[in-house]
Amino acid sequence: MKKWKIVLLTILLLWLVSYIVASFFKDSKINLEDKIAVIPIYGPITISGSSSFIIEESGSSSNSIIEFLDKANSDSSVKAIILEIDSPGGTVVASEELANAVKSSNKPTVALIREVGASGAYWVASSANKIIASPMSITGSIGVLGSYLEFSEIFEKYGITYQELTAGELKEIGSPFKPLTPKEREIIQKKINLIHDYFIDEVSRNRNLSVTQIQEIRSGLFYLGREAIDLGLVDYLGNKDLAINVSKELAGIKEAKIITYERKVSFLDIFSKLSANQFYYIGRGIGASMYIQAKGNGFSIRT
Amino acid sequence: MKKFEMPAPLWKRGLAYIIDMIIVNVFIISPFNPIFKGVRFTNIKDIYSISNPNLFLALVIISILTILYFTILEYKLRQTLGKSLLNISVISLNKKLTFSQTLLRNLTKPFVILLIIDTFYIIVSKDQRYLEKISKTKVIQEIK
């Protein structure tokens, strides 16, 4: 009987001490350090990212950025996300995928446009809760571009003929080795118009733009930050400090640690990229580049 | 009737520890639960976050109270609640079980990883954890 008394008393005593000490902590909020995640979006946006290291200009991979967004969303200590944009745009699908990922983020998002945040990159920025740009940043350019090099006249000059053997009347549409027929031009233009309408709709919905504002941006013209604010394309003019303050305000926090999500480049990556580029350039000639153009028709549509 | 003492089997010791940790959770840790909101205890970085002094301090206090639970009961009764239910007890290899001996043998109890490392010594010694060896104590069961 005495034994159980001691057990009970000890447990009660420890519970009492624990309860009293815990009550001292009640006012001091024990939360892990709040963080704001910065995700850089630099260069052209593509699905895989034109990630040539050192030799060529590198771009942003929508796949990697979406991974970073998922990481930030699943980290409870991350209270807001800043998308640091310096990009002229990208491919249609990569830009749309990224814009959708930003829109579905469960944390407040702020887009900070540095030098350039145009076209597809602006599409991504418009999906964020707030957009901040420098007065001199280049933004807007909400248009669609379809282009390719056409060699048919050079071929004619040098007596080279292009033999077209296709099944399907429009299979060779956009081939660089023959001029576009009026019908082909009309078809491509229609597709570009469709993408443009979709792009405008998305941006207008994201930014809640009026009909007048939509008419203004339809031209595909680029705007400086100070012009973009009047058109409703940007919320504030400022720099990274302002982006951090706006993020804190949206997250309802006073202090936060800034962490940047970047793809770590390992020594092996550098080595393999360098050797891959070296062999690529050794092996490449004019014929090879013409082959590449012909293989993909050389035609690309980008925002 | 004569009683025989033999080393307590490992399964009994494990089960006694689980029972004791349930008591510790209910009576020592639960008062702190409201202030641990948002902390992911599956993330080691969160648990030992030195950058958060309040969290660190709360965990230190919980660890001390947990050690005291084992120490006080073993010093007073040679048994914790779990050990009592499984009929095993602590003995000193010296004359009498002292407070410092029980304190020393229970230092790893709040830290599961340290306790596992400490327990690995049983493979060598057959019936003692490393801290039991140092504190010159043993867990036994009595057979009538």
Side-chain angles (χ1 to χ4, degrees), chain A residues 65-222:
Chain A
I65 297 165
I66 290 169
E67 262 176 45
F68 287 148
L69 280 166
D70 289 343
K71 192 179 161 192
N73 280 321
S74 59
D75 186 341
S76 60
S77 63
V78 171
K79 303 295 175 195
I81 300 165
I82 295 175
L83 302 162
E84 193 176 331
I85 298 171
D86 193 2
S87 164
T91 62
V92 180
V93 175
S95 304
E96 194 211 7
E97 277 179 359
L98 202 47
N100 287 340
V102 173
K103 223 187 291 183
S104 61
S105 165
N106 55 30
K107 310 269 165 82
T109 48
V110 172
L112 170 67
I113 297 173
R114 304 294 297 268
E115 204 82 55
V116 190
S119 203
Y122 181 77
W123 188 349
V124 176
S126 73
S127 308
N129 297 115
K130 295 285 175 200
I131 303 179
I132 292 156
S134 152
M136 292 296 116
S137 297
I138 291 171
T139 184
S141 187
I142 303 160
V144 184
L145 184 72
S147 64
Y148 69 100
L149 290 171
E150 196 217 289
F151 305 109
S152 59
E153 282 194 26
I154 296 178
F155 281 13
E156 214 177 296
K157 194 176 167 187
Y158 291 100
I160 302 167
T161 55
Y162 176 60
Q163 301 299 325
E164 185 184 326
L165 298 161
T166 54
E169 190 195 344
L170 296 164
K171 182 66 189 164
E172 276 263 86
I173 191 167
S175 163
F177 308 127
K178 67 178 188 66
L180 277 178
T181 65
K183 187 184 174 186
E184 287 173 338
R185 182 173 289 277
E186 197 191 323
I187 290 169
I188 293 174
Q189 188 58 53
K190 268 186 188 164
K191 298 209 184 296
I192 289 173
N193 289 347
L194 272 175
I195 298 169
H196 189 216
D197 288 344
Y198 185 74
F199 188 4
I200 295 272
D201 280 353
E202 284 290 307
V203 170
S204 312
R205 207 173 307 133
N206 291 345
R207 297 291 304 164
N208 226 354
L209 297 179
S210 67
V211 181
T212 334
Q213 286 169 317
I214 295 168
Q215 284 310 314
E216 176 75 34
I217 61 166
R218 274 200 88 84
S219 66
L221 188 67
F222 72 87

Side-chain angles (χ1 to χ4, degrees), chain A residues 3-4 6-7 10-11 14-15 17-19 21-22 25-26 28-33 74-77, chain B residues 23 27-28 31-32 35 37-38 40 46 49 51-52 54-55 57-58 61 65 69 72-73 77 79 81 84:
Chain A
K3 177 175 135 183
W4 293 110
I6 293 173
V7 171
T10 310
I11 292 172
L14 290 172
W15 173 78
V17 173
S18 176
Y19 188 82
V21 175
F25 282 94
K26 264 181 189 159
S28 59
K29 200 177 158 196
I30 295 191
N31 265 333
L32 287 172
E33 201 170 20
S74 59
D75 186 341
S76 60
S77 63
Chain B
I23 299 293
F27 293 96
I28 296 175
F32 286 88
I35 53 170
K37 220 174 173 183
R40 298 161 305 169
D46 282 13
S49 174
S51 59
N52 193 318
N54 284 337
L55 174 63
L57 188 62
I61 291 164
L65 293 175
Y69 165 80
I72 293 169
L73 289 179
L77 308 167
Q79 285 179 316
L81 185 65
S84 178

Side-chain angles (χ1 to χ4, degrees), chain B residues 95-121:
Chain B
K95 284 176 189 168
K96 202 187 164 200
L97 192 64
T98 63
F99 187 82
S100 54
Q101 273 179 302
T102 51
L103 179 67
L104 182 60
R105 58 170 269 109
N106 286 311
L107 284 179
T108 53
K109 289 282 167 73
F111 317 104
V112 179
I113 295 170
L114 288 180
L115 185 63
I116 291 168
I117 296 167
D118 184 24
T119 309
F120 266 120
Y121 190 76

Side-chain angles (χ1 to χ4, degrees), chain A residues 220-289:
Chain A
L221 188 67
F222 72 87
Y223 304 98
L224 295 177
R226 59 193 300 179
E227 297 171 306
I229 200 160
D230 297 330
L231 288 165
L233 298 179
V234 165
D235 295 297
Y236 307 103
L237 294 179
N239 54 16
K240 198 169 180 174
D241 288 340
L242 180 67
I244 291 167
N245 287 337
V246 170
S247 305
K248 281 181 192 167
E249 203 181 309
L250 289 175
I253 52 172
K254 282 181 181 162
E255 292 301 322
K257 187 182 174 187
I258 311 299
I259 49 161
T260 305
Y261 287 169
E262 275 170 316
R263 189 179 160 262
K264 286 187 185 111
V265 182
S266 66
F267 179 72
L268 198 69
D269 284 342
I270 297 169
F271 183 73
S272 60
K273 186 60 81 181
L274 278 172
S275 46
N277 274 308
Q278 206 170 346
F279 286 117
Y280 173 70
Y281 281 101
I282 289 168
R284 195 174 89 160
I286 293 169
S289 70

